[in-house]
Amino acid sequence: MKKNIVRLFCGCLLGCGIATATVSCSDNDYEPTLLSDLKVSSSYVGISQDGGSNEITVTASGEWAFVEQTWIAGKDTTVAVAPSWLTVSTVSGAAGTTTVTFTAESSLNGRTCELLIGSRGQNQHINIIQGLSTVSNATCAEVIAGPDSKSYRVTGTVTRIVNTDYGNWYLEDETGEIYIYGTRDKSGNNGKNSSIAAWGIDVGDVITIEGPKTTYNGTVELVDVTVINITKALLKVESPEANVGIEGGEVEVKVSYKGNGAFCSIADDAKSWVNYDGVRYIAGEEAAADTAVFRFNVLPNTAEGRKAEITFSSYSGATSTEIAYTIKQAAYALPHGQSAEDPFTVAEAIAKCQQIGATSDGEIYFAKGRISSIKEVSTSYGNATFNISDDGTDANALTCFRSLFLDNQKFTDENAIAVGDVVVVCGKLVNYTKDDTTTPEFSGNVYIVSLKKGDAPAEAGTLDNPFTPAQANAFCQSLGEGNTSEKDVYVKGKIIEITDNNQFGTQYGNCTFYLSDDGTDKADKFYVFRTLYLGNVKYTDDSWLKPKAGDEVVVCGKLTLYKDKNGNLVPETSAGKSYIYSLNGKTK
């Protein structure tokens, strides 16, 4: 007997992806789409996978134009009438008939997009399809491993429904799980209120769908899928996931079923703290299907947070459905970084990202920092992407990707946040990787927990915001070979080591040493060459305090990118044009 295994998880995902067409064609073999004031010879345009052109005619009673849309590729967003891979010969026209040619270079895996033409309040969709083919009877693992832009037909079980308006949900088979972003209704349309209700999709249903694959921010998605077949589940869990406090208590779970009864079992590792406390059955007018209400007693918790998996099942003949329901119980004391009261620093959050890697570990983390830069605040989508750091600079920043505002609400004001604001942010942490570049970031269920307005941080390299050794090296590189900064800048760090030959002495009155952020020898250490003493004077008295390894100093002066006798470019302070501004906090 093959069982349909369904896993339900607590939490939600803010889905995002690229809306693409799911129809493949080899030529313009579709009937024209006719509106009263705007007509096109074909609403589908096929282009060879080897590259080429194809054309349609646009007939309008007035002026017409392609509508600009937002195109997303990876983390890059552009606004244009078409994505960057497609060239459109004419993007607007006058009344009458106009020929429009679409051209694309060759594509390894095929791709699609949907363009929009507007005229006198009427809109016409044009689907561009290049070289797409459908992989039939694919598994989730094959979809995950396969190339983007190809279409796949896959069968699996609905595990989570994320968004009922647009049809966003998860599908799972025995090989893995994939995200469905957009579901077409029975008429083939997609859009708000068009899919989930129309199909009557429920968690536990076994469903066959078809659509193109994309990978967005590390999430594998099938986009705007077409439903091929649905086998309704014999069982549905009506109650939301249970979150129980540390004090424990009773949990009731309502389950409707169409099979021969409803049953439950508790995972072995949870039987010590979750007890089955009976069931009552409801039938008749009170419920559309037979309903069972299961009761469980959860014992108090004095340790870390824990989860109990309860499996509900029903069967009819050779068919059965199992649904795994999770009871979560709060930790007696949450670990550091997992509460708003005890958040990570940004440095700690970045270290956690590096530990976790490119795939989230599923935990929700909190981090406190100062907004160092803002990429976007979108009131259209209600989210924002910005960086936070411990020192208010982007040198060691954590990206908050598509974060919601306070109380997990959408942004409605573009000026709601500003550089310099101190925030506590929560969400899942990942070390996002693309094209050999890694970005530590909050990604998935991200929102601002608290916000304290602040002034923008001082310019980097100033006394109020000195360069780190790494920033000083980068600044020197930006000067170019042999060039020296026009104005004095400040660099802060800890001394790695000073030899006797390079220590302050009365003969030359200067000192040479390396700085790092923590006083250990690092690749990004900065070279302080022949710097003067406190007060910008030569060292002339051996009774004066001398710096040593581990001392924290702020050096002020001009920086340069020096070319040594071996041709190496060395970022450093310009000889005799810098001095120790402070030594362990002392300025004289």
Side-chain angles (χ1 to χ4, degrees):
M1 179 186 303
K2 183 177 179 180
K3 298 180 179 180
N4 303 323
I5 307 298
V6 181
R7 289 184 171 84
L8 301 181
F9 300 92
C10 187
C12 66
L13 175 70
L14 300 177
C16 50
I18 309 172
T20 56
T22 60
V23 181
S24 60
C25 64
S26 58
D27 207 341
N28 292 353
D29 50 3
Y30 291 87
E31 292 297 323
T33 300
L34 304 179
L35 300 173
S36 59
D37 293 309
L38 180 64
K39 303 174 184 179
V40 295
S41 59
S42 177
S43 59
Y44 289 89
V45 177
I47 299 176
S48 169
Q49 188 164 325
D50 295 329
S53 300
N54 212 335
E55 63 184 33
I56 63 170
T57 58
V58 178
T59 303
S61 60
E63 292 183 348
W64 62 269
F66 280 94
V67 179
E68 288 192 338
Q69 302 179 67
T70 300
W71 305 100
I72 303 173
K75 295 181 72 175
D76 298 325
T77 302
T78 58
V79 176
V81 299
S84 59
W85 58 268
L86 181 69
T87 300
V88 182
S89 63
T90 304
V91 297
S92 63
T97 299
T98 305
T99 298
V100 180
T101 303
F102 304 93
T103 304
E105 300 291 335
S106 63
S107 172
L108 177 62
N109 298 312
R111 48 202 172 185
T112 68
C113 68
E114 186 176 74
L115 309 185
L116 185 64
I117 298 178
S119 177
R120 293 191 172 184
Q122 294 185 345
N123 293 323
Q124 177 63 57
H125 295 264
I126 307 295
N127 291 279
I128 311 296
I129 302 154
Q130 184 183 13
L132 286 179
S133 61
T134 300
V135 179
S136 298
N137 302 319
T139 65
C140 288
E142 288 171 336
V143 174
I144 293 169
D148 282 6
S149 296
K150 282 196 176 295
S151 287
Y152 297 83
R153 178 173 291 193
V154 60
T155 300
T157 303
V158 180
T159 57
R160 286 175 283 170
I161 295 175
V162 176
N163 181 297
T164 57
D165 282 349
Y166 295 97
N168 300 346
W169 48 281
Y170 281 88
L171 179 142
E172 181 186 67
D173 65 10
E174 62 273 10
T175 69
E177 184 179 66
I178 53 177
Y179 184 49
I180 309 303
Y181 184 80
T183 306
R184 296 182 180 273
D185 65 15
K186 295 182 180 181
S187 300
N189 300 315
N190 66 316
K192 191 171 184 180
N193 301 321
S194 68
S195 56
I196 295 294
W199 287 108
I201 296 173
D202 291 311
V203 170
D205 292 348
V206 176
I207 184 168
T208 300
I209 49 90
E210 181 180 303
K213 174 196 170 183
T214 188
T215 303
Y216 186 79
N217 199 31
T219 299
V220 172
E221 304 173 351
L222 292 185
V223 182
D224 289 346
V225 301
T226 299
V227 175
I228 307 300
N229 183 66
I230 296 179
T231 301
K232 298 298 293 180
L234 297 174
L235 188 72
K236 181 179 180 181
V237 176
E238 305 286 356
S239 301
E241 292 291 336
N243 289 279
V244 183
I246 59 174
E247 69 280 358
E250 185 178 89
V251 174
E252 286 194 344
V253 184
K254 182 183 290 187
V255 176
S256 59
Y257 60 95
K258 301 175 183 177
N260 299 321
F263 310 92
C264 78
S265 63
I266 302 172
D268 290 341
D269 60 0
K271 289 180 178 178
S272 62
W273 59 279
V274 177
N275 299 319
Y276 173 62
D277 201 25
V279 62
R280 74 178 191 273
Y281 292 92
I282 305 172
E285 296 182 359
E286 187 175 343
D290 290 335
T291 304
V293 179
F294 293 86
R295 294 188 305 273
F296 303 93
N297 183 45
V298 179
L299 300 181
N301 189 14
T302 59
E304 295 182 352
R306 51 192 180 182
K307 302 177 184 178
E309 186 175 273
I310 313 296
T311 301
F312 297 102
S313 60
S314 185
Y315 69 94
S316 177
T319 303
S320 68
T321 298
E322 291 186 355
I323 294 180
Y325 174 90
T326 301
I327 296 176
K328 283 187 176 182
Q329 189 172 27
Y332 182 74
L334 288 171
H336 176 55
Q338 294 188 28
S339 69
E341 296 75 26
D342 184 24
F344 283 144
T345 65
V346 174
E348 290 172 334
I350 291 173
K352 176 59 72 172
C353 289
Q354 294 167 346
Q355 176 186 338
I356 292 172
T359 303
S360 166
D361 63 3
E363 295 290 345
I364 300 297
Y365 295 96
F366 295 76
K368 181 178 181 180
R370 186 180 296 274
I371 296 178
S372 55
S373 61
I374 299 173
K375 180 179 180 181
E376 178 186 30
V377 178
S378 171
T379 55
S380 299
Y381 295 100
N383 57 44
T385 297
F386 54 92
N387 288 339
I388 61 173
S389 66
D390 291 323
D391 61 3
T393 72
D394 270 340
N396 293 287
L398 176 71
T399 297
C400 301
F401 183 68
R402 293 191 173 175
S403 170
L404 294 180
F405 195 50
L406 293 168
D407 298 323
N408 209 8
Q409 300 298 306
K410 290 185 176 182
F411 277 86
T412 58
D413 181 1
E414 293 182 353
N415 299 313
I417 57 174
V419 171
D421 291 347
V422 176
V423 292
V424 174
V425 181
C426 82
K428 296 177 182 178
L429 291 175
V430 295
N431 216 27
Y432 177 75
T433 301
K434 181 182 179 182
D435 298 332
D436 298 325
T437 299
T438 57
T439 305
E441 67 180 33
F442 274 118
S443 180
N445 307 331
V446 185
Y447 67 96
I448 296 173
V449 178
S450 66
L451 167 67
K452 181 180 179 182
K453 302 299 291 183
D455 296 325
E459 180 184 356
T462 60
L463 178 59
D464 292 332
N465 186 18
F467 281 142
T468 64
Q471 288 175 313
N473 284 320
F475 177 78
C476 291
Q477 294 288 351
S478 71
L479 295 173
E481 178 183 335
N483 294 325
T484 301
S485 60
E486 293 182 0
K487 62 180 182 179
D488 290 347
V489 297
Y490 293 80
V491 183
K492 182 179 180 180
K494 290 186 177 181
I495 295 173
I496 297 174
E497 183 179 10
I498 301 178
T499 64
D500 290 339
N501 291 337
N502 292 324
Q503 179 59 278
F504 275 120
T506 56
Q507 182 179 4
Y508 299 107
N510 58 47
C511 184
T512 297
F513 50 85
Y514 279 100
L515 289 179
S516 71
D517 57 354
D518 61 1
T520 62
D521 194 5
K522 292 184 173 182
D524 61 359
K525 62 189 177 183
F526 181 68
Y527 191 43
V528 179
F529 182 64
R530 294 183 182 177
T531 190
L532 300 179
Y533 194 67
L534 292 167
N536 199 14
V537 299
K538 285 189 175 183
Y539 181 87
T540 59
D541 189 338
D542 279 327
S543 67
W544 292 353
L545 180 66
K546 291 186 178 182
K548 61 183 183 303
D551 284 347
E552 184 177 86
V553 298
V554 175
V555 177
C556 175
K558 291 179 170 54
L559 306 190
T560 187
L561 188 61
Y562 176 73
K563 186 175 183 179
D564 66 16
K565 62 182 180 181
N566 296 318
N568 299 315
L569 297 179
V570 183
E572 62 182 46
T573 58
S574 184
K577 296 182 181 180
S578 73
Y579 67 99
I580 296 179
Y581 173 82
S582 68
L583 173 59
N584 293 325
K586 297 180 179 180
T587 57
K588 59 181 180 178

